[in-house]
Amino acid sequence: MTTEAIAVEEHGAHATSTGLDNRKLAMWAFLGSECLLFGALISGYLLYRSKGVGIKPHNVYDIPYTSVSSFVLLMSSLTMVLALAAIQRNEERKMRIWLTATALLGMTFIGGQVYEFTSFVHEGLSLSANPASSAFFLLTGFHGTHVTLGIIMLLSLVGLSLAGKIGPKHALYVELIGLYWHFVDIVWVVIFTVVYLMPVPKH
Amino acid sequence: MATVTEHLETPAYDGPFRRPTETQKGIVSWLTTVDHKRIGILYGCTALLFFLIGGSEALLIRLQLAHPNGHVLTAEQYNQIFTMHGITMIFLVVMPLGAAFFNYLIPLMIGARDVAFPRLNAFSYWTFLFGGLFLYSSFFLGGAPQCGWFCYAPLSTMGLPTTIGTLFYAIGLQITGVASLVASVNFVTTIINMRAPGMSFFKMPMFIWMSLVTNFLLLFAMPVIAVALFELLFDTAFGTNFFNPAQGGDPVLWQHMFWMFGHPEVYILILPAMGIVSEVLPTFSRKPLFGYTFVAFSGVAIGFMGWGVWAHHMFAVGLGPIANSAFAISTMFIAVPTGVKIFNWLGTMWGGKISFTTPMLFSVGFITMFTIGGLSGVTHSIVPSDYQQTDTYYIVAHFHYVLFGGAIFGLMSGIYYWYPKLTGKLLSEKLGKTHFWIMLIGFNVTFAPFHILGLQGMARRYYRYPAHQGFDFWNMVSTIGSFIIAFSILIFLINIVLTKFKGKPSGDDPWDARTIEWSIPNPTPHYNYLEIPVVHERDDWWHKKYSEDEQGNLVPVVAGASDEAVAHAEHAEPHMPKPSYWPLVAAAALPLFGYGVIFQWALGALGAVVLLVGIYGWAMEPVE
Amino acid sequence: MKPRARLVAALACVSLLAVGCARNAPLDTLRPQGPIAHQIYGLWNMVFILAVVVFVLVEGAIVFALFRFRRRKGDDSAPKQTHGNTRLELTWTIIPMLLLGSIAIPTVAGIFSLARVPKGALNIQVQAQQWWWKYNYPKQNGIEASFTNANELHIPVGRPIWLSLNSNDVIHSYWVPALAGKQDVVPARTNHLKIEASHPGTYLGTCVEFCGLSHANMRLRVIAQEPADFEKWAANQARNLMMPTSALGKKGMKVFLAQQCVGCHTIRGTAAAGNVGPDLTHVATRETFAGGIFAFNTHNLRLWLSDAPAEKPGSKMPAGIATMGLSHSDINALIAFLEGLK
């Protein structure tokens, strides 16, 4: 075997027991773990959403506003899919456009949250106001951090692509970041439903 | 679909920050290693060092409790020592020893050359090391945690003389948690995806099954404690009230989250040792593991059922009779897959031809001691009786029997068994047997009295106990036992040192073993397998050496008679991944974040920079 | 391996013997002194015997196998390569399940029985804080007038006691082994514990959930009395203080009322109405003080009043001499006063 072939065998898509690339399997395993992370945070919010004194998160929600930012994040998943499709068709420039769009939509979402949370704080819902507010901000803060890290990864991909390093042979990297991004989006769908939309019983 | 994903191309670079190449010699080769075998050795040595420290903490505890109204330690010192003893033994000894075995053995036993992500593997180790050092730095930076290893709120957030220890606890365990989580992704991927051709799941060695279940447990349990630790951190550092009852928080929520992690955690602690024992017993009984399928499924069953028993740590909290009953029943039933294994191990030895080598002695020690711990565990599930037992030394007896008599004995068995693979030498049998017997005696003298002390009403976590309560005699006995254990460990260390200088070469298959890691030379070559093996059966190596006649008797395979007699062409040494220093750099960021939260935000900002640089360096460094 | 088997067996025997023969183990869980503790003890016996039987069978089988199937010298042949026996494995899976199922039934019955509110119980409110116990006895059948005291719980013999448990700060746990199992005392939550004594006597207990520096110094005792004696005791507890008669005692009362003591302690019938520390109105009727760590006598009172934090790490009571500026004669007077609070 030549050195090149060995290199491919060692580092490329050499035969794996499942046929899946190691990196893809690892991303799925990691996302499985993240389900427990967000599960614990969402459960924590559900347990605490009415606890403590003072203004509670569900008293200050602006559902129409958050619906718009949710839609923005949802659209970013669409642009992510388009980015992957582009690189798989060897259309590097289109990929960059769609990746940038995804990052911009993500940034819009985060910006929207910053504005939303600032107004919450002005209304008296701070991080330490009561357990309900703490649980809310911990959950949304973790989610926002995940989105932010995703944006950094997306922009890094764009940068690497501009440097000519992302070709169709590297579509897996786009796919993996895409998987992560879609997961973070799905988590938001759950958060929006459970935290924002589900009515809180009055007791 | 078969697009080969290649690594990013990076220009050739030969400057001072070039990727290192030396894998074998010098300290830099250890700092930059991505070789799973060396990482396994790093984990093992670090864990053994922490074992000595945690053991010293135990000796201090025993000195304080040797007499009633002891004066060796103040209350605050004692509370720090018993807290750090628990944290050390669980997070810095038994878990990393498990990781050491996963690292060293998994690729070897599945016929791979390394794990799926060698640099991520190195990152796990350095993160673990830095997390442990971060935790211990607390002694010098304002006080070690003194809340107990379980750190119940609101005591930990509001009821201690100082809460800086709680901050070190919350952040330190977060850091070691990252190490475990990242490693679990690595091992799950490796086991599922990198088995040699022909090695289906039911042909894997039992150690691999147990490792797979353990790593799935880690994958799913670590996030739960991570969230709990963040909430504890925020309560202590940022004024939130997750666990502050005066403001509407619920301290019992901490307990639920802690134990929802904590119970799978105890299976994480014991399953690797069970896997080791499942390899050692067949070798030294000279027959296969009895009921392989049952043992594998019982391991998986434990993995699932382990999620449904957590509140058996909370029977006295006041959850109500319905909850207590549900958890009593689930706890009783998890005893079944756990106990079944003992019968399978008995069945393995039964009808065998048992050699009492040191590894075999430790494995038998595991079974006998774990049985005792398991039985006391069943007594805890009788909830009304647990209302007497819980929070007493009776519980301390239980978990030391399963964690020391169980996990540590099993891990010792593994160290003696696989030592030849690491070093090409055999540890001295004479010293090994001495180590075993003295440790077994010392262990029982230390911990058996705890059953009595607990049933006689001695409470846990007391820095002193009064005279005239019937506790004096057995406490003194236990203290004597603890020094016997210490002596046995000294013998173990002497064995390691003497073997390094005067050890007997082991040869490639000193135990006439069954699994494929023994089919390659000792010490293991850098690349593991010159040629990736093709596996045909369970215990494939055994079947290359022996075949069975109609009565099930063994017949040695004549050299050249197997259908595997392929003439091996001259193979170039396989190309192995180059070392890298980026995992070390990236790992260094984490304690910086920690110190940043506790002391000075600028440190945290520095940590962010280090992390960014580390990750970019890692992603962009040339493969070749 | 015979020597090890003998050793393990010997240890087991000694343990059993020692457990049974221990003299003076006041917190012994295996000598129940009331119906609730007895009920628990019955369940313990059931599972302990089962565990011992399983232990003997399993460990015995292991030891037997190690001996019977050891490799004889020079024998390098391999034994029959048995891979398993499905029927056997199913059997040894199902039998433990059945055994456990059968002990689950009395266990669940016990759980519900212990949780049931007893009829005709005497209600007492227990409040835990670092590191002492406050008791409030509300007016009810058997208690003419309500009162508050600390650390030593008096109860009438032969009547179930329904304790309502609250914590003022961290999680504690109330435990008097001779009379019942334990129950955690959790802040912002009221737990309950049923205890009952069959015979008069003093039963020791302790806090049994790690609660900080002086967790080991948060003891309690339960003193069970015949109903008539209990009612007499309760009536006395409800009265205001017994005024001091000696000159030294009167001086002590003056010192007490002038000092910081009043900020933390209550003595009914005086201006002292603090709630941080125990009610001292009838402190001299107690056998112990300072969370049950000291016998109530002159020597110990002097130690405590001179420097409480040195005796009980973390104690909120300031050091008498160093912080409160008490002189030795102040302390003598206070001791005389306190010893008169019967």
Side-chain angles (χ1 to χ4, degrees):
Chain A
M1 274 180 161
T2 63
T3 337
E4 264 169 29
I6 290 172
V8 168
E9 194 223 12
E10 296 294 313
H11 304 295
H14 59 285
T16 59
S17 311
T18 60
L20 269 178
D21 187 290
N22 279 346
R23 289 161 287 194
K24 200 187 280 193
L25 183 58
M27 177 55 79
W28 279 109
F30 172 67
L31 294 179
S33 171
E34 293 266 85
C35 288
L36 268 290
L37 186 87
F38 283 105
L41 289 164
I42 293 172
S43 307
Y45 171 79
L46 284 172
L47 288 167
Y48 273 173
R49 59 188 176 173
S50 300
K51 289 281 190 327
V53 289
I55 198 157
K56 302 292 182 327
H58 60 267
N59 301 131
V60 297
Y61 292 150
D62 181 348
I63 300 295
Y65 177 88
T66 318
S67 304
V68 170
S69 65
S70 304
F71 180 74
V72 164
L73 196 64
L74 225 58
M75 284 303 104
S76 73
S77 267
L78 172 63
T79 52
M80 186 71 228
V81 170
L82 292 169
L84 178 62
I87 190 60
Q88 283 170 338
R89 286 192 314 266
N90 200 7
E91 292 177 359
E92 288 181 43
R93 190 170 163 276
K94 274 248 178 72
M95 176 198 73
R96 282 198 292 274
I97 292 173
W98 289 123
L99 282 178
T100 309
T102 309
L104 283 172
L105 289 169
M107 286 189 264
T108 308
F109 174 80
I110 295 291
Q113 282 205 312
V114 169
Y115 177 77
E116 181 185 1
F117 294 168
T118 313
S119 72
F120 284 174
V121 171
H122 282 146
E123 288 179 71
L125 191 83
S126 63
L127 170 68
S128 49
N130 47 57
S133 71
S134 304
F136 172 78
F137 283 116
L138 193 71
L139 167 61
T140 50
F142 258 94
H143 178 263
T145 307
H146 278 75
V147 174
T148 307
L149 291 171
I151 293 170
I152 294 174
M153 290 195 286
L154 289 165
L155 294 175
S156 306
L157 263 185
V158 172
L160 286 169
S161 174
L162 284 169
K165 294 186 188 306
I166 308 284
K169 288 182 287 198
H170 305 104
L172 179 71
Y173 296 116
V174 182
E175 189 179 356
L176 293 180
I177 293 179
L179 272 175
Y180 173 84
W181 189 261
H182 295 312
F183 174 77
V184 167
D185 197 358
I186 293 172
V187 170
W188 180 255
V189 170
V190 176
I191 293 177
F192 184 57
T193 310
V194 167
V195 170
Y196 284 85
L197 293 181
M198 260 171 51
V200 178
K202 291 197 196 2
H203 55 97
Chain B
M1 105 111 277
T3 348
V4 173
T5 301
E6 291 181 359
H7 282 260
L8 303 175
E9 290 157 31
T10 31
Y13 171 78
D14 219 20
F17 295 114
R18 65 181 175 281
R19 187 164 183 172
T21 49
E22 176 57 60
T23 58
Q24 303 301 316
K25 294 208 254 322
I27 193 168
V28 174
S29 75
W30 284 98
L31 294 174
T32 58
T33 186
V34 298
D35 177 355
H36 70 99
K37 299 183 290 300
R38 289 184 142 216
I39 294 172
I41 292 172
L42 284 171
Y43 262 111
C45 292
T46 310
L48 286 173
L49 208 73
F50 277 120
F51 185 55
L52 297 177
I53 298 175
S56 306
E57 287 159 347
L59 291 178
L60 280 170
I61 292 173
R62 285 318 320 158
L63 283 171
Q64 166 71 4
L65 296 178
H67 299 285
N69 295 314
H71 293 292
V72 173
L73 298 169
T74 67
E76 190 164 359
Q77 287 169 340
Y78 182 87
N79 292 347
Q80 293 179 323
I81 296 283
F82 89 73
T83 300
M84 289 304 284
H85 168 75
I87 291 173
T88 301
M89 289 307 192
I90 291 173
F91 295 104
L92 305 179
V93 177
V94 178
M95 283 176 88
L97 275 175
F101 280 92
F102 296 152
N103 262 289
Y104 200 92
L105 290 176
I106 289 177
L108 293 182
M109 287 179 125
I110 63 175
R113 293 213 171 94
D114 206 312
V115 294
F117 306 106
R119 287 176 298 176
L120 198 66
N121 202 11
F123 173 78
S124 283
Y125 168 72
W126 294 111
T127 305
F128 148 66
L129 176 68
F130 293 147
L133 293 175
F134 179 85
L135 275 164
Y136 269 91
S137 72
S138 63
F139 274 113
F140 309 107
L141 293 173
Q146 50 177 296
C147 48
W149 86 279
F150 50 96
C151 216
Y152 278 2
L155 176 72
S156 51
T157 53
M158 302 180 337
L160 295 168
T162 164
T163 51
I164 196 168
T166 306
L167 290 173
F168 274 101
Y169 173 91
I171 298 170
L173 290 185
Q174 199 72 266
I175 297 175
T176 55
V178 168
S180 293
L181 182 73
V182 157
S184 72
V185 172
N186 218 341
F187 292 126
V188 163
T189 306
T190 305
I191 294 174
I192 291 181
N193 232 14
M194 293 177 69
R195 284 164 287 133
M199 187 180 276
S200 66
F201 279 109
F202 286 95
K203 298 203 180 93
M204 300 193 307
M206 191 49 63
F207 178 75
I208 303 294
W209 270 105
M210 298 303 166
S211 304
L212 186 62
V213 176
T214 307
N215 280 287
F216 266 112
L217 286 175
L218 280 165
L219 191 67
F220 295 129
M222 300 313 301
V224 180
I225 192 67
V227 171
L229 290 171
F230 268 109
E231 295 179 352
L232 191 71
L233 176 70
F234 273 57
D235 267 19
T236 312
F238 304 130
T240 54
N241 292 296
F242 288 102
F243 309 121
N244 181 0
Q247 296 294 327
D250 186 0
V252 179
L253 180 66
W254 164 261
Q255 295 190 31
H256 280 297
M257 295 182 83
F258 181 83
W259 288 116
M260 194 168 298
F261 151 79
H263 199 82
E265 165 71 3
V266 311
Y267 294 115
I268 289 166
L269 295 171
I270 199 68
L271 285 172
M274 290 183 159
I276 292 172
V277 166
S278 301
E279 299 298 335
V280 170
L281 286 182
T283 297
F284 296 107
S285 308
R286 293 181 69 71
K287 48 194 281 287
L289 180 67
F290 190 90
Y292 171 100
T293 316
F294 256 79
V295 178
F297 278 134
S298 70
V300 173
I302 288 175
F304 278 105
M305 291 166 77
W307 291 95
V309 301
W310 81 89
H312 69 217
H313 301 269
M314 296 163 66
F315 280 142
V317 167
L319 299 176
I322 298 176
N324 277 2
S325 300
F327 283 101
I329 294 173
S330 65
T331 303
M332 283 177 202
F333 282 108
I334 204 167
V336 175
T338 321
V340 151
K341 288 210 210 329
I342 299 193
F343 299 138
N344 282 91
W345 290 320
L346 178 60
T348 305
M349 296 187 291
W350 198 276
K353 297 213 168 155
I354 303 172
S355 306
F356 292 102
T357 59
T358 307
M360 184 61 176
L361 286 172
F362 272 107
S363 280
V364 172
F366 170 100
I367 303 174
T368 49
M369 297 300 106
F370 183 79
T371 298
I372 296 174
L375 286 171
S376 61
V378 170
T379 65
H380 305 333
S381 71
I382 311 302
V383 173
S385 182
D386 190 58
Y387 293 152
Q388 294 283 32
Q389 301 165 19
T390 192
D391 263 296
T392 69
Y393 267 77
Y394 185 79
I395 304 289
V396 184
H398 160 73
F399 64 72
H400 281 94
Y401 266 82
V402 290
L403 284 178
F404 194 142
I408 294 281
F409 271 61
L411 292 161
M412 284 289 167
S413 176
I415 292 174
Y416 279 91
Y417 184 59
W418 278 293
Y419 206 74
K421 287 236 62 76
L422 266 81
T423 59
K425 298 195 186 139
L426 286 163
L427 283 167
S428 152
E429 271 297 299
K430 201 139 158 250
L431 283 174
K433 288 189 166 83
T434 312
H435 166 203
F436 167 74
W437 285 109
I438 297 183
M439 186 175 251
L440 183 73
I441 292 169
F443 166 77
N444 279 292
V445 171
T446 309
F447 295 109
F450 284 4
H451 293 101
I452 303 171
L453 285 170
L455 291 171
Q456 294 203 292
M458 183 170 173
R460 289 174 77 170
R461 301 157 183 162
Y462 270 23
Y463 75 97
R464 66 176 184 184
Y465 57 91
H468 311 305
Q469 298 210 325
F471 302 148
D472 305 16
F473 176 69
W474 289 116
N475 266 296
M476 176 54 80
V477 168
S478 173
T479 300
I480 292 170
S482 65
F483 281 90
I484 298 174
I485 295 176
F487 181 62
S488 76
I489 293 171
L490 185 63
I491 295 175
F492 172 61
L493 293 173
I494 291 173
N495 198 350
I496 302 241
V497 170
L498 281 181
T499 301
K500 184 162 173 58
F501 296 112
K502 301 204 298 198
K504 235 174 29 171
S506 61
D508 292 346
D509 185 11
W511 312 119
D512 195 16
R514 311 180 73 89
T515 40
I516 59 173
E517 77 273 16
W518 298 103
S519 69
I520 51 180
N522 289 340
T524 317
H526 174 45
Y527 46 81
N528 301 350
Y529 293 90
L530 201 52
E531 197 185 306
I532 301 291
V534 176
V535 168
H536 298 288
E537 319 197 35
R538 198 182 294 162
D539 288 343
D540 199 67
W541 175 234
W542 182 260
H543 289 101
K544 289 215 163 53
K545 297 185 287 184
Y546 305 101
S547 66
E548 291 175 37
D549 66 18
E550 306 85 56
Q551 282 89 36
N553 296 313
L554 278 192
V555 172
V557 168
V558 174
S562 84
D563 54 11
E564 274 294 293
V566 176
H568 296 291
E570 266 304 301
H571 267 275
E573 253 190 38
H575 176 85
M576 295 301 290
K578 277 212 192 113
S580 170
Y581 48 79
W582 292 115
L584 176 62
V585 170
L590 298 177
L592 284 172
F593 284 132
Y595 290 123
V597 168
I598 299 179
F599 295 113
Q600 170 65 263
W601 283 113
L603 287 169
L606 177 63
V609 170
V610 170
L611 187 64
L612 232 73
V613 167
I615 290 185
Y616 273 99
W618 182 335
M620 300 307 300
E621 75 177 336
V623 169
E624 291 315 304
Chain C
M1 295 301 276
K2 269 185 158 166
R4 186 177 53 75
R6 277 203 216 109
L7 184 65
V8 171
L11 279 170
C13 291
V14 171
S15 318
L16 290 172
L17 242 68
V19 169
C21 299
R23 264 159 269 125
N24 193 28
L27 294 159
D28 196 348
T29 64
L30 302 177
R31 272 189 237 254
Q33 298 295 317
I36 295 154
H38 230 106
Q39 184 182 7
I40 292 175
Y41 181 64
L43 284 170
W44 160 257
N45 273 330
M46 168 193 78
V47 75
F48 180 63
I49 290 168
L50 181 67
V52 167
V53 169
V54 172
F55 170 82
V56 167
L57 288 175
V58 173
E59 304 279 18
I62 294 172
V63 167
F64 174 78
L66 291 171
F67 195 64
R68 168 77 175 74
F69 299 108
R70 70 192 186 286
R71 186 185 138 254
R72 267 67 173 186
K73 247 210 174 85
D75 182 1
D76 275 324
S77 67
K80 187 150 186 284
Q81 302 288 291
T82 320
H83 292 266
N85 180 329
T86 310
R87 241 215 246 126
L88 182 60
E89 294 171 61
L90 278 171
T91 308
W92 72 40
T93 307
I94 291 174
I95 289 185
M97 282 174 78
L98 293 172
L99 274 172
L100 289 166
S102 64
I103 64 177
I105 298 169
T107 301
V108 172
I111 294 172
F112 277 91
S113 158
L114 288 170
R116 242 191 309 278
V117 184
K119 287 206 180 54
L122 184 74
N123 291 297
I124 304 176
Q125 291 153 1
V126 177
Q127 181 177 284
Q129 51 272 305
Q130 287 173 323
W131 291 278
W132 61 280
W133 306 94
K134 178 187 213 173
Y135 304 127
N136 187 48
Y137 295 69
K139 181 159 181 272
Q140 60 193 289
N141 180 11
I143 297 196
E144 287 293 308
S146 73
F147 58 90
T148 299
N149 67 5
N151 292 325
E152 294 184 5
L153 192 77
H154 281 243
I155 60 173
V157 158
R159 183 176 173 188
I161 315 295
W162 187 242
L163 300 175
S164 301
L165 307 165
N166 285 293
S167 168
N168 229 4
D169 45 30
V170 302
I171 301 178
H172 300 272
S173 194
Y174 199 84
W175 192 36
V176 53
L179 303 183
K182 62 184 65 77
Q183 184 69 245
D184 282 0
V185 185
V186 183
R189 194 183 180 108
T190 303
N191 281 343
H192 296 280
L193 181 65
K194 195 163 52 177
I195 72 174
E196 184 176 336
S198 302
H199 318 285
T202 301
Y203 305 104
L204 298 194
T206 190
C207 174
V208 72
E209 180 60 63
F210 181 60
C211 58
L213 277 180
S214 269
H215 168 55
N217 299 321
M218 188 168 166
R219 302 178 207 155
L220 61 105
R221 39 185 75 191
V222 176
I223 294 155
Q225 301 173 288
E226 297 294 352
D229 293 329
F230 172 77
E231 279 178 34
K232 239 193 268 150
W233 172 86
N236 182 43
Q237 294 288 314
R239 288 188 204 109
N240 286 346
L241 87 159
M242 203 173 214
M243 294 296 282
T245 48
S246 69
L248 196 58
K250 289 195 182 119
K251 176 177 176 215
M253 181 161 156
K254 271 214 201 75
V255 173
F256 187 95
L257 292 172
Q259 269 287 352
Q260 301 170 37
C261 321
V262 299
C264 292
H265 293 283
T266 295
I267 297 186
R268 281 172 274 127
T270 71
N275 270 312
V276 180
D279 183 307
L280 298 177
T281 314
H282 298 282
V283 67
T285 62
R286 302 206 268 269
E287 298 169 5
T288 61
F289 72 100
I293 59 175
F294 284 129
F296 188 85
N297 59 41
T298 310
H299 168 78
N300 289 334
L301 282 167
R302 180 161 294 121
L303 280 174
W304 181 252
L305 289 170
S306 307
D307 192 353
E311 303 299 328
K312 191 163 173 174
S315 171
K316 291 202 185 76
M317 176 149 155
I321 297 176
T323 311
M324 292 200 280
L326 296 173
S327 68
H328 286 290
S329 68
D330 284 338
I331 291 179
N332 284 331
L334 281 169
I335 291 174
F337 171 54
L338 293 169
E339 285 178 339
L341 291 174
K342 291 211 176 17

